[in-house]
Amino acid sequence: LLLLSIIDLFAQSYIRQNFIELDDELMELFGLYWQAVNPPGKRGDITLPFFHLHSEGFWHLLPQPGQEAVLAAKRRTDGLKQLRQLVLGARLDEALYQLLQDEQSRNLLRTTLIQTYFAPEMHQRLVARSQNNAEAFQYSMELLQKAKEITLRDEPEESYSPAVRDQGFRRVIVTIYEHRCAFCGVRILTADGHTAIEAAHIIPWHVSHNDDPRNGLALCRLCHWSFDEGLVTLTPSYQIKLSPQLAAPDNIPGHLFAFGKRPFLGPNDQSLWPFPESITWHQQTLFRHR
């Protein structure tokens, strides 16, 4: 599963040198592949293959400065935090790295991995997962490219399947917000590629048919639900505003009260901040003013 994820990153030109980092993008793809072949609730751990592949000969762990002896003596991984303390990343044998630059070689390797290591009934599932990953990446790149436009686009984004569109929109949103909730600031990723962050439309898809990243927010599940319910919104000056309904006698909104009127945590590239038109629509249409 790790190697299938890495092949996808080469196909996307995400990996441009012989260095593989245990980053958010790799963990996200690993999680998608994991979900494709495992029952719900079964947890994976990307640190296991990332560490133990070094015994296969073609995978070479690169130690953090000063951790060379510790890494050499290590026989097992003790989780994501420790692995990142020990290694910068990994590199491949040069011959394999060169092969992965070629589309035909990547496809052959992908097919060989799937047919050799997975049961026949899983083959089509994994091929479909790979195809979805490629299309979703392409779609996310198109969204970012189109986001350079100034005006709010309202043309439908229906040339891709709903599954690909959802994955592509999610990818661009969680990437530009760096897996961090725009309201409460939480950022949590697990070793099996799960994240606390979801991609939320400001004007819902069924209304706008608009996946422009400026019509989106990265929100944790509680903030996403609160936003969709109109209990939280943004002002035109990008301040978080809370609905009076949160203070109803039987409600216990917890930490939601802590970030009322605070600035939201937007992408580093301010050109990707939410459209004022989308914010105004949410305030006028969904937000509970009383």
Side-chain angles (χ1 to χ4, degrees):
L1 297 179
L2 175 63
L3 292 175
L4 290 174
S5 305
I6 289 169
I7 292 172
D8 285 355
L9 292 179
F10 271 95
Q12 298 166 7
S13 297
Y14 181 84
I15 298 178
R16 298 178 179 271
Q17 57 182 331
N18 194 353
F19 175 73
I20 299 166
E21 186 178 3
L22 187 52
D23 62 7
D24 299 347
E25 193 77 14
L26 178 57
M27 293 175 67
E28 181 95 0
L29 286 178
F30 178 83
L32 291 171
Y33 275 114
W34 179 269
Q35 293 169 21
V37 298
N38 285 286
K42 185 175 182 180
R43 296 179 179 177
D45 187 346
I46 194 174
T47 64
L48 295 176
F50 201 96
F51 176 80
H52 289 289
L53 265 180
H54 76 86
S55 64
E56 297 295 333
F58 64 85
W59 180 267
H60 309 283
L61 295 174
L62 303 174
Q64 293 278 4
Q67 298 296 319
E68 293 83 359
V70 177
L71 181 60
K74 202 71 176 171
R75 294 295 175 263
R76 65 182 179 87
T77 178
D78 292 320
L80 185 60
K81 180 179 179 180
Q82 187 196 66
L83 186 61
R84 282 179 166 159
Q85 290 173 343
L86 291 177
V87 303
L88 293 167
R91 66 173 179 84
L92 304 169
D93 275 351
E94 189 61 28
L96 177 57
Y97 173 71
Q98 293 301 325
L99 284 172
L100 288 171
Q101 310 301 308
D102 176 68
E103 181 180 3
Q104 185 175 358
S105 297
R106 287 195 301 268
N107 292 339
L108 178 59
L109 179 55
R110 182 187 292 110
T111 299
T112 302
L113 287 171
I114 291 173
Q115 293 182 351
T116 302
Y117 294 104
F118 297 93
E121 61 268 22
M122 295 182 179
H123 291 179
Q124 187 53 45
R125 210 180 308 167
L126 288 165
V127 170
R129 177 73 272 156
S130 176
Q131 291 172 342
N132 277 11
N133 290 346
E135 292 182 23
F137 176 80
Q138 178 63 31
Y139 182 51
S140 71
M141 292 294 98
E142 291 178 11
L143 291 177
L144 281 176
Q145 179 65 32
K146 292 176 180 178
K148 295 179 181 179
E149 303 170 7
I150 297 175
T151 59
L152 175 65
R153 295 180 298 107
D154 57 4
E155 70 269 20
E157 304 277 10
E158 296 177 335
S159 58
Y160 292 89
S161 71
V164 167
R165 182 188 61 76
D166 288 346
Q167 184 181 338
F169 176 71
R170 169 185 163 73
R171 180 188 179 276
V172 70
I173 292 297
V174 300
T175 298
I176 65 176
Y177 282 84
E178 299 179 344
H179 286 261
R180 189 177 185 186
C181 179
F183 287 174
C184 70
V186 68
R187 172 187 157 88
I188 303 173
L189 287 92
T190 67
D192 52 350
H194 291 171
T195 177
I197 302 307
E198 299 176 341
H201 286 87
I202 301 174
I203 305 178
W205 164 262
H206 72 270
V207 175
S208 65
H209 283 209
N210 190 344
D211 279 338
D212 191 302
R214 296 165 295 181
N215 186 44
L217 291 169
L219 298 174
C220 71
R221 293 182 181 181
L222 176 58
C223 289
H224 190 174
W225 177 86
S226 301
F227 185 73
D228 287 349
E229 286 292 320
L231 297 170
V232 183
T233 193
L234 283 175
T235 69
S237 60
Y238 299 104
Q239 302 290 311
I240 299 170
K241 184 177 181 180
L242 304 181
S243 167
Q245 288 198 16
L246 285 173
D250 293 334
N251 285 342
I252 307 175
H255 75 283
L256 291 178
F257 270 148
F259 53 83
K261 297 183 180 179
R262 62 173 280 186
F264 99 117
L265 302 169
N268 291 327
D269 183 352
Q270 292 197 13
S271 70
L272 297 176
W273 282 30
F275 277 121
E277 297 93 331
S278 294
I279 294 172
T280 299
W281 184 94
H282 186 270
Q283 278 198 323
Q284 294 177 348
T285 308
L286 291 183
F287 184 62
R288 300 174 189 260
H289 292 275
R290 56 182 183 177

